[in-house]
Each structure stands twice: as C-alpha cells, then as structure tokens.
Amino acid sequence: MDFGLFMAFIAYSTFILAVGVWGYRKKSFESYAVADRTMGLGLATSAFVATFLSAVTIIGVSGYASVNGWSAAAFTCYGYSLGWILLLVASGRLHKVRLTTVPECLGVRYESTGLRAFSALTIIALYSITLVVQLLAIGITMNTLIGLGTTVSIVTVGVVFVSYTMLGGLASVLRTDLVQASLLASGVLLAAGMVLWKTGGTVVTAPGAHLGGFFGGSVSTTSDFVGWMLVWGLGIPTQSYYLHRFYASRNVHVARGQIAFGAIFVMVILLSVILVGTGAAMLVPENELGDGAFPYLVKNVIGGWASFPILLAITAAIHSTTDGLLHIVGLYFALDVFQPLRPDTNAKALLRVSRKATLIFGTMVTAVAAYVSTHPVPLISLIAAVAWGGMASTLFAPLFFGLFWKGATRQGALASAIGGLTFSTIAFFLNRAGLSTLHEIYPGIIASLTLMVLVSLGTSRNSEATLARFFPESVRA
C-alpha cells in the first residue's frame, strides 16, 4: 500500500468531515435545503463544475476513451452541450417560481401530489444507480493508486460522504464543491499535460486509426450518435442536482451565469479527460484498459509527485457529485414523499427526516456498491447512461412542457411520465435480450412527448392561479 497517498486521502477526508460539522451548526431547514437562497455566482459556478465532473466523467469517460479513442467526444460532448443549452433555457423560470425541489415544481405546476410523489421516487430510484457507479469509481481508483482493497475503499468513502452530507446539507456541499472544483481542474489538466509529453503530442496528431475516428464503440452509426445525444442532452436538464441549484441562487443572473460560465470550464476538462483516456490506450497494457486505465496510467506511467494531485482530482470528482446526489435523495424524500403524507410537519421535524433518509439511503447504496464491486461490471459510463436515459424519458417532457406551454395538463404530465418510463424500460430489456437494436431513448422520448401533447389537448388546463405563477408574463400582457 502507498502510505503517502493513503495519508493524503485521510487528510482530505478529514477536511471534508470538518466542513460537514461546520454546516451542522446551521440549524435552519432553509440553509440545509437551499443554502438560504444566497448562492453567489462564484460559488454557484464552482458547484456546477464540481458536480458535473463526476466519476462518470473522470473515470467513466476516460475508460471509454481508452477503449474507443476520440470517438468518446461523439459519445459525450455534443449531448452535454445540448443539455447545457436546455439548462440555460430553464434556469430563469425555475428560479422565479421560488420553490425548493423539482418534484415540488411538478406537483405545484400540475396540481398533483401523485405526480410529485411519483417523480420523487423515480429520481431516488435512478439516483441509486448513479451513486453506486460513483462509489465503484472511487473503489477502482483507490485500489489501483493506493493498494487499498476495492470494497474497503468503497466503505471508507461511503462513511465520509454520508456523514458530512447528512450533517451539513447544501450549505456544506457548496463549500466543499469550491475546493473540489479547484482540485479537479488542476489534477486533470496536469494529467493531460503529462500525457501530451509522454506521447510527444501524437495522442492528438496521430493517435492511430482505431483511436482517431468519429465513430466507434457505442457510437457506430448516425442513429447511435443521435441516440446518445438525446440521452445526455435531455437527461442533463432533468437532473435535480443541477436544477436544485437554481432554487439556491441569489438571483436569476446567478442561476443563468453558473451554466454559461461553468459549461466552458467543464468542456475544457472533458476534452482533457478524453485526451488522457486516448493517451492511456497508447501507453498502458491492453489488459488494463477500461475504467481502471486512468488510475493505472497515473500510478505506473506518470508516477512520482504528479500522482498526488491527480489522486485528489479523482477523489474530488467522486465526492463532489455523490454529496449532491445524496443531499437530493434525503431532501426529496422528506419534502415530496413524507411531508404530503404528514402536512402538519414543521421545519425542524423535516430536517430530522431528511437527515435520517440521507443516512439510511447512503448506507444502503454503499452496501450495494460494496457487493457489486466483487463482481465483474461493464464500463461505468454505460451503467450511468441507464439512469440518465430513464430520467430523460420520464421527466423531460413534463418539466419543460410545464415551464413553457400553458396547455400542459396534469393528465398529460402523468401519462407522459409513466409512459416514457414504461416504454424506455421495455426497450432497454429488448435490447439486452438481442430482440432490438434501436436505442431505448427513442421509444421512451417519443412516447413521452406524444402522450404529453395528445392527452393535454384532450383534457382541461390547470387553474388560472397556477398558470399565473408559472407564466406571469401572460398576466401582465
């Protein structure tokens, strides 16, 4: 075991826990849930960058690139860009309605507690997949770089991120994200520079025919390209850990600015990650390619002092997303599942429920990840895509039609959410059984959009009071 890197990880984890203890001193539910709605542009931008650059990006995309080369750009960059544009479009309206959660937004817009609970439970279920992926990534990383067992690594990290998220809530998450964004950027850019040096620049200029093509891996046709673009492009603007930050923003300019500025930083780091992964394909043994390629490259090819900041970058990537995910799960359970059943619950009791839900769910996910780590798994970027595609098929149409079309109705939203999830799930299993080659996002999105429009046109609109809240410009007109 590399004792120096292990002690660096312990020091970093101690700092994270200390921030959680600091956040615990803030007793208000508003602070725990939305950081008192005082988030400024600098903090918001760093939080967006840190949250977006998850294990799926650092470990998953580099692992995908180590196998498929620069075609990883077709797999991710275009869809991510579409998602950022749609986030930017939605940011102003979500901030102005002054709510606390995305399921609450859907419940209020469509005057439906059923849709609110359904969307909250769907988010919790799909986020469980994403959280398992994040923990698997840190297990792979620490096993390769430090020599600590994968399962032990997962449990150790699970204890840390569950503890500080449960204690501090969003107020603590935002502060740690500021540090993590800095660690992420410096570590990944350092790794990219080292790969350019080690390959003499050929990773960009002459990576080899099998690594330099636009198509490759899961993007072998134009249909695949469009399918993955829809998975990420429609999945990103339905991810609650991005949308939730709009509620916490100080004003609408902060809500929009964090995406506009943050997306530029993320794209630079994303391309650097793809460069590192493609470089790994040129520098490490073939049997080490995949999700373990980046950590292996750092330890056995780069080595030396550079492995320390890169380890912190990878660790920061996992922490910065897992804490946001786990905070969302606990908060949404308290506000969107528990509170509608117990409407007389006060803020202090809701805070306790949210913290308990965070602890229980975090413990369960850590246990599942520890178990899964003992079995062979596919590339983690492909596992995460299941959750993103499911989110897009279920929530994109109800959310965006609700924000931009007055004619969207409760019945249409329910039909869209349930139909989209059902069709995408069926298509997913048909694909895995070899009975279909069509990407599952197509039937999911087509069903969701079609049901949203047709059912809404055949049913009555929501009350004028609700429409006035979401479309104040029509009232002024």
Side-chain angles (χ1 to χ4, degrees):
M1 186 171 71
D2 190 317
F3 187 74
L5 288 179
F6 178 71
M7 291 308 297
F9 171 76
I10 293 298
Y12 174 77
S13 298
T14 302
F15 163 75
I16 294 293
L17 284 171
V19 176
V21 173
W22 167 84
Y24 186 71
R25 297 168 58 191
K26 293 178 171 288
K27 299 296 184 180
S28 75
F29 186 71
E30 186 85 347
S31 174
Y32 185 87
V34 289
D36 295 317
R37 303 186 193 273
T38 58
M39 187 167 65
L41 182 58
L43 202 59
T45 302
S46 65
F48 174 76
V49 171
T51 302
F52 201 97
L53 294 172
S54 64
V56 175
T57 306
I58 305 301
I59 299 298
V61 174
S62 64
Y64 183 94
S66 74
V67 177
N68 303 299
W70 283 101
S71 68
F75 178 61
T76 55
C77 293
Y78 297 89
Y80 284 15
S81 298
L82 173 60
W84 295 332
I85 292 170
L86 293 174
L87 271 179
L88 196 60
V89 168
S91 58
R93 285 191 181 271
L94 281 172
H95 175 78
K96 289 175 182 177
V97 295
R98 303 290 291 180
L99 296 170
T100 304
T101 71
V102 174
E104 182 188 16
C105 178
L106 292 170
V108 172
R109 168 61 179 87
Y110 295 111
E111 300 169 353
S112 172
T113 56
L115 179 61
R116 180 177 179 176
F118 174 79
S119 60
L121 292 172
T122 299
I123 290 168
I124 291 171
L126 293 176
Y127 275 6
S128 66
I129 299 174
T130 309
L131 277 166
V132 168
V133 167
Q134 304 290 338
L135 288 169
L136 285 173
I138 193 61
I140 293 169
T141 300
M142 293 182 67
N143 177 255
T144 304
L145 289 182
I146 299 177
L148 197 63
T150 302
T151 303
V152 175
S153 301
I154 289 171
V155 173
T156 302
V157 172
V159 169
V160 173
F161 90 86
V162 170
S163 298
Y164 84 81
T165 305
M166 176 188 68
L167 291 171
L170 190 60
S172 292
V173 168
L174 291 176
R175 268 71 184 177
T176 57
D177 280 353
L178 179 62
V179 175
Q180 289 161 344
S182 302
L183 293 173
L184 269 166
S186 58
V188 171
L189 293 175
L190 173 63
M194 297 295 289
V195 168
L196 281 170
W197 177 58
K198 292 284 186 181
T199 62
T202 58
V203 65
V204 176
T205 59
H210 68 295
L211 297 174
F214 181 84
F215 292 108
S218 296
V219 187
S220 56
T221 65
T222 302
S223 175
D224 290 336
F225 170 69
V226 175
W228 285 110
M229 190 171 177
L230 292 175
V231 167
W232 305 120
L234 304 186
I236 286 171
T238 58
Q239 297 298 322
S240 293
Y241 48 84
Y242 307 136
L243 300 173
H244 189 77
R245 307 299 169 87
F246 299 150
Y247 299 134
S249 298
R250 180 181 299 157
N251 53 50
V252 70
H253 301 295
V254 172
R256 290 172 177 155
Q258 63 184 288
I259 308 301
F261 293 109
I264 297 171
F265 290 108
V266 171
M267 183 58 77
V268 171
I269 295 173
L270 175 63
L271 290 172
S272 299
V273 167
I274 295 173
L275 184 150
V276 170
T278 306
M282 304 168 65
L283 296 169
V284 308
E286 186 175 350
N287 64 323
E288 298 294 341
L289 300 181
D291 291 328
F294 193 167
Y296 183 92
L297 177 76
V298 173
K299 184 174 180 63
N300 298 285
V301 178
I302 296 176
W305 64 268
S307 60
F308 171 65
I310 297 173
L311 168 66
L312 291 183
I314 298 173
T315 305
I318 282 84
H319 272 297
S320 63
T321 303
T322 51
D323 56 15
L325 283 166
L326 193 59
H327 173 256
I328 289 293
V329 167
L331 182 66
Y332 281 22
F333 178 83
L335 283 178
D336 301 307
V337 179
F338 182 84
Q339 189 181 39
L341 298 175
R342 301 281 296 275
D344 58 336
T345 307
N346 60 35
K348 189 174 181 180
L350 279 177
L351 181 57
R352 288 197 301 270
V353 171
S354 184
R355 282 183 167 140
K356 288 179 182 178
T358 299
L359 174 62
I360 293 170
F361 188 81
T363 303
M364 291 172 57
V365 167
T366 301
V368 170
Y371 172 78
V372 172
S373 70
T374 62
H375 299 75
V377 294
L379 290 172
I380 62 173
S381 58
L382 299 180
I383 301 175
V386 174
W388 288 59
M391 204 78 76
S393 298
T394 307
L395 297 181
F396 176 79
L399 180 62
F400 274 75
F401 276 78
L403 290 175
F404 296 101
W405 183 35
K406 292 175 67 175
T409 68
R410 175 174 62 253
Q411 295 87 343
L414 282 166
S416 174
I418 296 171
L421 181 61
T422 301
F423 275 82
S424 64
T425 302
I426 292 172
F428 173 81
F429 285 109
L430 288 175
N431 274 342
R432 298 308 177 271
L435 300 176
S436 172
T437 57
L438 186 67
H439 197 290
E440 56 265 21
I441 194 68
Y442 287 115
I445 287 295
I446 291 171
S448 181
L449 294 175
T450 302
L451 288 169
M452 185 79 236
V453 174
L454 293 181
V455 176
S456 291
L457 290 174
T459 52
S460 57
R461 296 199 308 181
N462 294 109
S463 68
E464 290 302 320
T466 295
L467 293 178
R469 179 173 187 174
F470 283 82
F471 302 93
E473 67 279 1
S474 64
V475 175
R476 290 194 297 269

